[in-house]
Amino acid sequence: MVMTMTNQNQTPLLDAVTTFIETQPTYFRIPGHRLDKGISPRWTQMTGERLFAYDVTETPLTDDLHNPQGAIYKAQQLLQELYGADQSFFLVNGSTCGNEAMILSAAFEGEQIMMARNAHKSAMMGLILSGAEPVYVMPQMIDAWGIQGGITPKTVRDSFETHPNCKALFLVNPSYYGICSDLRQIADICHEYGALLLVDEAHGGHFYFHEQLPLGALQAGADLCVQSMHKVTGALTQSSVLHVKNHRIRSEVFLRIAQNLHLVQSTSPSYLLMTSLDCARYELAMHGTKMMDKALLLACNTRDKINKIPGFACMTNENVYQYKDNLSEQMKLNQAGIYGMDQTRLVISAQSLGLSGYELDQLLFEKYAVNVELSDYKTVLAIVTYANEKKDMDKLVDACEQISEMLFKQQRKKEEKPIVELSSWEVPRQVMTPRKAYFCQTREVCWKDAIGEIAAQMISPYPPGIPIVCPGEEISPKVWAYLEQLIKDGRQIHGMESGNIKVVR
């Protein structure tokens, strides 16, 4: 767990912007709304005006993200100290730009980079920018729940033995569902081969503040990691951070991080986003353990209640597998490469009632005004944070109880539905690098005729934004069938031309 330092009781960027506003400046800078005076009254009637005054730009008082020497520099220093990093950066283009910068810095065109196949589509964008050749490693499957587990150290070692020249391994930890791999062993293997460990820790910025949560990437030995502070720690949407920890493995890479962030970040960074990062860091430093205590208590109590509702199940360490024999809990988890699970994530299934995850999501939203993060064939995912209240959890439980009672009264039988499971999907054959495919001359092909063609774009169901087909890969019959089922189920697919599910590039 991160040690709270005495000087964390500061918010240098918030203070600097406040000081600037209090000078009541005559303003001839961007943005054009002149602090809080030019915002549409239709909006300010709903929100008030004060917040908009904090939407400023670079001044001698407010510093410059791309050359920080004052308030932003101090705020990033506090973030670095809190997380135990050697250097930390504010990101205003979300974790997407952080993932891109990590890949751009670690592997060049003609070089290989090992890549977890369940990586977010922003990692593919990084490959297109860098030109590196991906070598994919697959996470294990949790068949009972229809979701991916972790990536095992053995899988990583086997891949390095076959591809010893990989410059880095890029993986996601935790997954969207809160599943964690054994990062410590994986980091040791990467460093043994002279490779960096890059971690998309978008969903794990809170891990560092409670002993009941899994180990954070920096604590486990990662060289670079990105965190979406807006996802669970109170910053505004699109606010993320990138941390650097130099283990003296390919140290020259770390000199390129700031340079590549210039390439992928806006030259007009939002001070609202950066100030929210400053304040979110402050709250974690001052109250992080208490905040996580609350989230864990709410989630664990709710999980227990849902597991008592007829027809419902909520994933736990104990029921992640359904074994007839008497395997220990740790043996069960290891079966899918699972080294830890974020207990603030509620993975909920009503399959026993004949409901797919999509149907449960729709029912919760339309009838009970309960919003979950995402759904799949078998489950829905509810993310619990310190900002939730008991009444939120009660509403979720009540909705599940009413759905259970309603379906049992209807004596609904479980329908046999043609489901193409994630486990039936296969990694397509890579014909050329993502960069080469992306910049090739292309043509449009009817989706029904796409089998055997080489994709010039990524095709990704969203959420969670994990590409099923990447540029340069052949669309095999098995992959086509998997995507076709997603299309028939009405899933939102990113990558089809202009949202047209009948045409692919």
Side-chain angles (χ1 to χ4, degrees):
M1 191 163 59
V2 172
M3 295 294 293
T4 302
M5 302 169 192
T6 54
N7 67 347
Q8 289 288 325
N9 190 18
Q10 304 176 61
T11 49
L13 186 54
L14 172 66
D15 297 346
V17 178
T18 301
T19 298
F20 174 69
I21 293 168
E22 289 175 348
T23 67
Q24 298 183 334
T26 300
Y27 202 79
F28 298 105
R29 299 176 183 268
I30 292 169
H33 59 69
R34 299 296 175 258
L35 304 183
D36 52 359
K37 296 189 287 291
I39 302 295
S40 167
R42 187 167 189 172
W43 194 0
T44 57
Q45 286 170 10
M46 304 290 184
T47 62
E49 297 178 354
R50 178 66 174 170
L51 176 65
F52 297 105
Y54 283 78
D55 184 29
V56 297
T57 190
E58 296 89 348
T59 74
L61 282 177
T62 55
D63 206 3
D64 180 352
L65 178 64
H66 291 289
N67 183 27
Q69 299 179 31
I72 295 175
Y73 175 81
K74 292 177 184 176
Q76 291 184 150
Q77 282 284 106
L78 290 169
L79 179 69
Q80 165 191 324
E81 291 174 10
L82 182 64
Y83 278 89
D86 292 331
Q87 195 171 6
S88 296
F89 299 89
F90 284 175
L91 306 177
V92 295
N93 288 40
S95 288
T96 290
C97 74
N99 287 338
E100 291 169 347
M102 289 196 297
I103 293 169
L104 274 168
S105 302
F108 297 151
E109 189 162 10
E111 296 179 334
Q112 290 184 324
I113 181 170
M114 200 177 300
M115 182 84 59
R117 187 61 197 209
N118 65 336
H120 186 261
K121 66 178 185 175
S122 57
M124 180 55 52
M125 299 171 191
L127 288 176
I128 291 169
L129 291 171
S130 77
E133 177 190 346
V135 173
Y136 292 112
V137 287
M138 285 294 291
Q140 304 293 305
M141 280 299 303
I142 309 174
D143 292 324
W145 293 85
I147 62 176
Q148 292 171 328
I151 290 175
T152 66
K154 182 181 184 305
T155 297
V156 173
R157 182 173 291 282
D158 289 348
S159 187
F160 270 117
E161 288 179 359
T162 307
H163 304 279
N165 295 322
C166 283
K167 299 297 183 181
L169 165 62
F170 180 99
L171 57 75
V172 180
N173 196 87
S175 72
Y176 221 135
Y177 295 88
I179 304 298
C180 297
S181 304
D182 187 349
L183 284 190
R184 185 165 276 164
Q185 279 200 56
I186 290 173
D188 288 344
I189 294 168
C190 289
H191 296 162
E192 179 185 332
Y193 280 86
L196 298 172
L197 176 58
L198 321 178
V199 180
D200 178 350
E201 197 177 30
H203 292 270
H206 59 305
F207 281 3
Y208 300 73
F209 301 95
H210 205 286
E211 60 187 8
Q212 291 181 24
L213 292 168
L215 198 65
L218 292 174
Q219 297 165 325
D223 301 279
L224 298 165
C225 77
V226 170
Q227 298 162 345
S228 294
M229 300 296 281
H230 65 93
K231 284 184 166 62
V232 290
T233 62
L236 294 179
T237 296
Q238 205 172 306
S239 307
S240 296
V241 298
L242 188 156
H243 298 294
V244 175
K245 188 76 173 177
N246 192 342
H247 297 100
R248 305 195 183 282
I249 307 294
R250 302 188 60 216
S251 297
E252 79 283 355
V253 169
F254 304 109
L255 300 176
R256 297 196 287 265
I257 291 294
Q259 179 182 350
N260 285 324
L261 282 175
H262 287 203
L263 183 66
V264 295
Q265 284 219 91
S266 172
T267 56
S268 300
S270 166
Y271 276 78
L272 289 177
L273 301 186
M274 291 189 290
T275 302
S276 79
L277 285 170
D278 192 24
C279 293
R281 185 270 317 153
Y282 166 83
E283 294 297 333
L284 287 170
M286 296 296 102
H287 312 295
T289 300
K290 184 177 179 181
M291 292 160 66
M292 298 311 122
D293 271 335
K294 180 183 177 185
L296 284 163
L297 182 62
L298 289 172
C300 291
N301 286 344
T302 302
R303 183 179 292 106
D304 290 343
K305 290 177 181 178
I306 291 175
N307 274 322
K308 293 175 182 176
I309 299 173
F312 275 81
C314 194
M315 192 166 72
T316 67
N317 286 351
E318 291 76 23
N319 71 9
V320 65
Y321 282 108
Q322 299 168 358
Y323 283 115
K324 294 181 180 178
D325 50 13
N326 200 21
L327 289 179
S328 71
E329 178 180 313
Q330 192 56 51
M331 289 174 70
K332 291 178 183 179
L333 296 182
N334 286 342
Q335 294 296 311
I338 305 173
Y339 193 72
M341 296 170 64
D342 180 0
Q343 297 300 315
T344 66
R345 304 263 154 150
L346 301 178
V347 182
I348 304 168
S349 169
Q351 277 191 288
S352 296
L353 297 173
L355 286 179
S356 69
Y358 306 130
E359 291 168 326
L360 178 57
D361 185 352
Q362 185 177 9
L363 198 53
L364 287 169
F365 180 81
E366 293 181 355
K367 188 167 184 177
Y368 301 98
V370 171
N371 290 249
V372 294
E373 173 66 15
L374 62 82
S375 56
D376 56 38
Y377 281 116
K378 293 188 176 184
T379 69
V380 299
L381 172 65
I383 299 175
V384 182
T385 78
Y386 66 93
N388 283 114
E389 302 291 345
K390 184 178 181 298
K391 64 180 181 180
D392 300 326
M393 314 316 296
D394 290 344
K395 190 173 180 180
L396 171 60
V397 172
D398 289 346
C400 293
E401 287 177 339
Q402 290 181 45
I403 291 169
S404 172
E405 183 179 356
M406 173 184 67
L407 293 182
F408 270 112
K409 280 183 178 179
Q410 294 175 358
Q411 296 184 331
R412 172 170 172 165
K413 294 181 180 179
K414 187 174 180 180
E415 299 175 15
E416 294 297 327
K417 299 176 182 178
I419 293 179
V420 182
E421 298 285 6
L422 186 58
S423 57
S424 71
W425 170 74
E426 60 184 16
V427 176
R429 182 173 71 94
Q430 184 175 298
V431 180
M432 59 183 73
T433 65
R435 180 183 177 86
K436 185 175 180 181
Y438 187 85
F439 288 107
C440 272
Q441 288 202 348
T442 64
R443 59 193 175 89
E444 289 187 346
V445 176
C446 289
W447 174 242
K448 65 182 179 64
D449 300 323
I451 294 174
E453 298 287 348
I454 309 304
Q457 62 196 75
M458 73 178 81
I459 305 175
S460 173
Y462 204 91
I466 297 170
I468 300 301
V469 177
C470 296
E473 292 180 342
E474 181 181 5
I475 301 174
S476 69
K478 205 169 186 179
V479 168
W480 188 93
Y482 179 75
L483 282 166
E484 176 69 6
Q485 186 62 52
L486 295 179
I487 293 168
K488 287 180 178 177
D489 288 341
R491 291 293 306 278
Q492 184 176 358
I493 308 292
H494 283 196
M496 298 299 220
E497 282 297 289
S498 304
N500 183 352
I501 61 175
K502 296 180 180 179
V503 175
V504 66
R505 204 157 47 85

